[in-house]
Amino acid sequence: VSAQLPQPRLHAIQPAGGQAGSEIELSLTSGDHLDEAHRLIFSHPGISAAVLKKEADRFYPETRLVSGRFKVEIARGVPPGNYEVRAVGYYGITNARTFVAGDGPEAVETEPNNTHKTATQVSVGTVVNGVCDETGFDYFRFEAGKGQRLIIDCAAQRIDSRADATLVLHDSSGRELKRSRDVVGRDPVIDFSVPADGQYVVAVYDFLYRGGARFPYRLTISAGPRIDWIDPPTAMAGAMGTFTLYGRNLPGGEILEGTEFQKLTMPVSIPADAGSNLVRGEVQVLMRPDEAALDLYTFWLAAPNGRSNPVRLLLGDEPLVRK
């Protein structure tokens, strides 16, 4: 006969991220054997947490720890990206979940927002941390101006969520304009050229109508640049290279005839230590197991209209030669 202590498991946190240079309240929303969870360990030293406390009252003369709830501080210098977080409790340390450090304003979904009329008002440029509702929709309303090109992106698979997220865009009257699923892996992205000034509503739901704490998402409505692919996809550490970006909202980008994409050619200096980002704990793009052993560099386009999504370059030892 053998015996074993319970194995603590962390399934989900909420919110799944926060803005660098801010403090947020974070809860362990799903897990097993998380008794007396009093500490969080992040893979970046610039992210720290302190367990929340209850003040003394007439029943408890001393302050008490609130198990599973924390105040998280994200230092201003933390690079945007995905990091690991683990909880420590009575039975030891848990598995890792994904925590995202962002570089823009963030908000947390507020209920009720399950109908078009009760949609939560959000601002363009804000990241909303939400959770899919079982057999239901989450609605968000935003103001947009004619001629704007907005990228509506819902990250779920990319933050290790169980959600197969789907987006549906409506105008103010409820008429469906666009629908998206499985653009970046299982995650949806909508490219929306605003036809007229006014209010628009986007709905988020799981494709199989599942929901709960293990189905978080991060919804972004942005007028910033988006890179769909980069050519060449390889680079050399410590060298200057010329790359062509293909995407949307690229400042000074040339429209590719007959497509919705823009093209922008620019020089990029690759740092000499470009392959060491994993050592520093930065994993800005979800990696497949077969990519873990590769030397990769994550590139972002910093533009006047914001910072782009991250794309990866494969690092080589020799200069690239085009044929």
Side-chain angles (χ1 to χ4, degrees):
V1 178
S2 63
Q4 181 175 321
L5 288 173
Q7 297 296 304
R9 296 285 300 174
L10 179 58
H11 297 154
I13 59 174
Q14 183 63 8
Q19 181 182 9
S22 70
E23 288 185 352
I24 63 171
E25 285 194 11
L26 182 148
S27 298
L28 311 184
T29 52
S30 178
D32 299 321
H33 308 297
L34 297 176
D35 308 57
E36 300 180 24
H38 63 276
R39 183 184 173 198
L40 294 181
I41 300 175
F42 293 89
S43 60
H44 193 287
I47 311 175
S48 58
V51 65
L52 292 180
K53 297 180 180 180
K54 284 186 178 179
E55 295 300 325
D57 55 33
R58 64 193 184 100
F59 297 106
Y60 295 91
E62 297 180 356
T63 58
R64 294 169 292 150
L65 300 182
V66 183
S67 178
R69 294 186 60 195
F70 301 86
K71 177 174 285 188
V72 176
E73 182 178 352
I74 312 165
R76 190 172 300 277
V78 175
N82 294 1
Y83 299 92
E84 291 184 344
V85 57
R86 290 174 167 84
V88 180
Y90 183 80
Y91 292 109
I93 188 170
T94 70
N95 58 299
R97 303 307 300 181
T98 298
F99 180 84
V100 185
D103 60 352
E106 304 229 355
V108 177
E109 173 196 8
T110 55
E111 298 281 358
N113 67 337
N114 303 119
T115 67
H116 193 275
K117 290 184 178 179
T118 60
T120 300
Q121 187 74 38
V122 297
S123 301
V124 172
T126 299
V127 179
V128 182
N129 292 276
V131 176
C132 289
D133 293 326
E134 188 174 358
T135 70
F137 290 62
D138 291 335
Y139 289 88
F140 300 93
R141 187 183 306 275
F142 61 93
E143 189 85 29
K146 182 178 180 179
Q148 276 188 301
R149 188 175 190 179
L150 301 179
I151 305 299
I152 307 173
D153 186 344
C154 186
Q157 183 187 36
R158 283 169 286 171
I159 62 170
D160 205 16
S161 169
R162 286 190 170 189
D164 185 355
T166 304
L167 291 176
V168 185
L169 179 65
H170 304 89
D171 63 14
S172 58
S173 67
R175 180 171 61 95
E176 182 175 324
L177 301 176
K178 285 194 171 187
R179 181 180 292 262
S180 175
R181 175 174 173 255
D182 297 352
V183 174
V184 182
R186 289 201 313 267
D187 292 345
V189 178
I190 289 178
D191 181 358
F192 179 45
S193 295
V194 181
D197 295 348
Q199 296 263 330
Y200 296 87
V201 175
V202 61
V204 183
Y205 71 98
D206 178 76
F207 183 71
L208 299 177
Y209 296 100
R210 302 167 298 173
R214 301 177 76 170
F215 294 80
Y217 60 82
R218 283 170 58 84
L219 174 69
T220 305
I221 305 171
S222 171
R226 180 173 184 83
I227 302 173
D228 287 271
W229 72 94
I230 186 169
D231 181 44
T234 62
M236 184 177 175
M240 174 72 77
T242 300
F243 296 85
T244 301
L245 313 181
Y246 297 89
R248 278 71 71 91
N249 284 341
L250 304 179
E254 169 191 352
I255 297 290
L256 294 178
E257 186 176 355
T259 75
E260 60 184 6
F261 299 106
Q262 293 173 298
K263 171 184 175 181
L264 176 65
T265 300
M266 60 181 294
V268 177
S269 178
I270 308 299
D273 64 343
S276 65
N277 60 323
L278 293 182
V279 177
R280 298 194 300 266
E282 303 166 23
V283 186
Q284 288 95 338
V285 183
L286 188 67
M287 299 175 67
R288 300 190 307 267
D290 60 346
E291 296 175 319
L294 300 176
D295 288 329
L296 300 168
Y297 172 64
T298 303
F299 169 76
W300 311 69
L301 174 64
N305 57 335
R307 190 178 181 127
S308 76
N309 58 304
V311 292
R312 285 200 302 260
L313 295 169
L314 178 65
L315 294 176
D317 296 327
E318 300 294 338
L320 178 69
V321 177
R322 289 183 178 272
K323 291 186 177 180

